[in-house]
């Protein structure tokens, strides 16, 4: 699969992923599970590959 996540899209995914990951430390009890949302956001931001973007034909990477 080619890269299809770039620029601002990548930065937004990484920052949002880190924000959701921090919920694990700040939220009590079962609410910590919201931190799971961070996994796909960080993965797609760091690898620059998103299966959903590929299925929809979206490419924000200029390379």
């Amino acid at each position: 699969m080619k890269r299809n996540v770039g620029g601002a899209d990548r930065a937004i995914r990484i920052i949002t992923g880190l924000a959701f990951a921090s919920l694990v430390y700040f939220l009590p009890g079962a609410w910590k599970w919201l931190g799971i949302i961070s996994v796909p956001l960080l993965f797609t931001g760091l690898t620059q590959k998103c299966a959903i973007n590929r299925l929809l034909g979206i490419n924000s990477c200029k390379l």
Side-chain angles (χ1 to χ4, degrees):
M1 180 181 350
K2 294 185 200 176
R3 290 188 279 179
N4 59 11
V5 176
D9 187 18
R10 182 178 184 201
I12 291 169
R13 288 173 190 253
I14 292 172
I15 291 169
T16 307
L18 290 173
F20 276 111
S22 71
L23 294 178
V24 173
Y25 297 106
F26 295 116
L27 292 180
W31 286 102
K32 291 183 180 197
W33 285 100
L34 281 176
I36 290 286
I37 297 170
S38 69
V39 174
L41 289 171
L42 288 172
F43 180 77
T44 57
L46 294 173
T47 62
Q48 294 183 323
K49 297 175 184 177
C50 180
I52 295 173
N53 279 5
R54 183 173 175 228
L55 290 173
L56 296 175
I58 299 170
N59 186 358
S60 63
C61 186
K62 300 298 180 197
L63 294 176

